Every structure is written in C-alpha cells, then in structure tokens.
Amino acid sequence: MKTWYLCVSISALLLLLFSPTVHAQTQNLFFVPPSYPGPAQTFTADFNGDGKTDLVGADGTVALGNGDGTFTTGTPLAGLQGQFKVVGVGDFNGDGKVDLVVTNSTNLDIFFGNGDGTFQAPIITNIGTGLGAVVVVDLNNDGKLDVVGLSPAALVFVLLGKGNGTFAPGVTYPALTNTTNLLTVADFNNDGKLDIALASDNGTGTAGSLGVLLGKWRRNLSNSNHFDWYNQSIFVRSKRLQR
C-alpha cells in the first residue's frame, strides 16, 4: 500500500512539472508593472493628499499613484529649463502640502504644492551655486525645514529655512576633497544635535574618506533665528564606500 501511494505521488509530481499550463504559470509569479517616463533620480511623497504614494522625477515629471503599484501621469512641473532639477521634497511653509526643492547653477527654488499634484511658481533664493546630495531636514529644531547640500566647489552649504520658502544667508564649510559626493544628516555623537557626515568615493576601488561636522546649537544673540555651527571635523579612512 505504501509503495502504491509513493508511485501515485511521483506520477503526480511529474505531471505537474511537465504540464504546459503549470509551466506557463510559474513564469508569471510576479506582477510586472508598466514603465513610466522619467529620469533615474526620483522622489516619493503624497502630492495630492489621497493617501497614495506619488513620484516626481529630477526633471519635474510627476506621476500620481493609484495605490496598486501603477501611476497616472500628472502635470509636469513648469519652469524647469537648462540645468534645473528637483533635488528634494518637504513642507517648507507649514501648510500640510508637499513642496519641491529645485536647484540650478545659481539658485535654490521652492515650488509650493497646491495639494492636488500641481505646484505654484517658484520662490527663488540666489545662493550663487548649484547643490547636489541635498538633504531636507530641520537642523536647528525650530520646526522649519532647512537644506544641506554640496556645491561643485567642494563646499557644504547649510541654509536655514524661515518657514516661508526663503532662507537665511547660507553658511559654508569645507568638504573632505573635491570628490566628496555623499552627504547625510544624523546625531552621530548622541548629544541631541544633528551632525553632517560627508563621504568621498572617487570610484577607483581605493579607500574613501569619511568626515563628520559636529553640530553645535550655539544661539547667536544678534539674530535669534540663526544658529552657529561648530566646525569640528573627524576624519577616518574606510573601505571603498558603496552607494
């Protein structure tokens, strides 16, 4: 009896393995979503307040999420020409709607969101350079979003937001090297103050460099909205940094 059951089980297994129908089904175990136009660098947020995640590309392409892994092409961001590109998202005026951070070779622009997937004309701040590796974060804990980024001249730019889409004059710090291309913000020494970590990876496979600017919230009495930063760098050598 056990031998008979074993023969039946093996026969059933062979039938499943060589069945054309089953074989075809095994080739489609996962849903293959459609593709959408846009650049490689993309940011996510809920731009129209429907609780579904949307996308915006660096070139201003907007794709509104349907909530099932597919997207509907939205209204592209107007006014992006030449070297303009979207580099971050956040609520810069406290109205509960997601805004866009856009940069070019000289300006940092904030496009206020309308809450329906479209955006207003930009508020322009001339900072004299473009920025990469941008991080949007509240650095000084005042409830207003700030911007940190790297300039092509190997400088770290710290721009403290005023809560209305504009910024206090930028403060700069030297980056590690001319090839510094990675930046992140976190509290690295557990003092309750945000620090800025920098990394340099020239792509050669050799050891990269890692440095940290330790944040110091020393209030400037001449301007209650400005915080000085203590420019202390800790440099270490590391293995090649992987993106």
Side-chain angles (χ1 to χ4, degrees):
M1 184 66 67
K2 292 182 179 179
T3 303
W4 182 80
Y5 278 124
L6 178 61
C7 292
V8 172
S9 299
I10 293 176
S11 299
L13 178 61
L14 292 174
L15 181 62
L16 287 173
L17 288 176
F18 291 99
S19 171
T21 302
V22 173
H23 182 70
Q25 290 177 349
T26 60
Q27 303 302 311
N28 298 286
L29 295 178
F30 297 95
F31 168 68
V32 180
S35 60
Y36 300 90
Q41 187 176 19
T42 304
F43 300 90
T44 61
D46 181 5
F47 295 114
N48 57 353
D50 63 354
K52 303 170 185 176
T53 301
D54 310 312
L55 305 174
V56 63
D59 63 351
T61 301
V62 176
L64 300 178
N66 297 318
D68 59 0
T70 65
F71 297 86
T72 300
T73 301
T75 304
L77 189 63
L80 291 187
Q81 300 176 354
Q83 298 300 313
F84 282 90
K85 63 179 181 178
V86 178
V87 293
V89 298
D91 182 4
F92 284 86
N93 59 348
D95 64 353
K97 302 170 185 176
V98 181
D99 312 315
L100 301 181
V101 185
V102 176
T103 186
N104 68 350
S105 59
T106 58
N107 298 336
L108 184 74
D109 301 345
I110 302 297
F111 287 71
F112 286 150
N114 293 317
D116 59 359
T118 65
F119 300 87
Q120 302 174 26
I123 296 178
I124 300 173
T125 301
N126 189 323
I127 60 174
T129 184
L131 293 178
V134 167
V135 175
V136 175
V137 63
D138 182 5
L139 279 174
N140 53 0
N141 200 30
D142 64 352
K144 303 168 186 176
L145 288 181
D146 312 309
V147 170
V148 184
L150 290 169
S151 78
L155 292 174
V156 179
F157 268 71
V158 174
L159 296 153
L160 299 181
K162 295 182 178 180
N164 59 1
T166 65
F167 299 87
V171 181
T172 61
Y173 303 93
L176 296 173
T177 67
N178 289 334
T179 61
T180 299
N181 54 2
L182 301 173
L183 181 152
T184 191
V185 175
D187 180 6
F188 291 101
N189 58 349
N190 295 316
D191 64 352
K193 303 166 187 176
L194 291 177
D195 313 307
I196 301 173
L198 307 169
S200 177
D201 177 15
N202 56 19
T204 63
T206 58
S209 297
L210 186 67
V212 178
L213 289 170
L214 296 178
K216 182 178 181 181
W217 296 356
R218 185 179 64 199
R219 187 177 292 275
N220 188 326
L221 297 179
S222 65
N223 183 349
S224 61
N225 293 320
H226 179 72
F227 287 77
D228 293 331
W229 281 77
Y230 179 44
N231 187 11
Q232 177 182 353
S233 297
I234 303 173
F235 296 99
V236 297
R237 298 292 291 178
S238 67
K239 295 181 179 179
R240 181 170 182 249
L241 300 171
Q242 300 294 332
R243 295 193 182 191

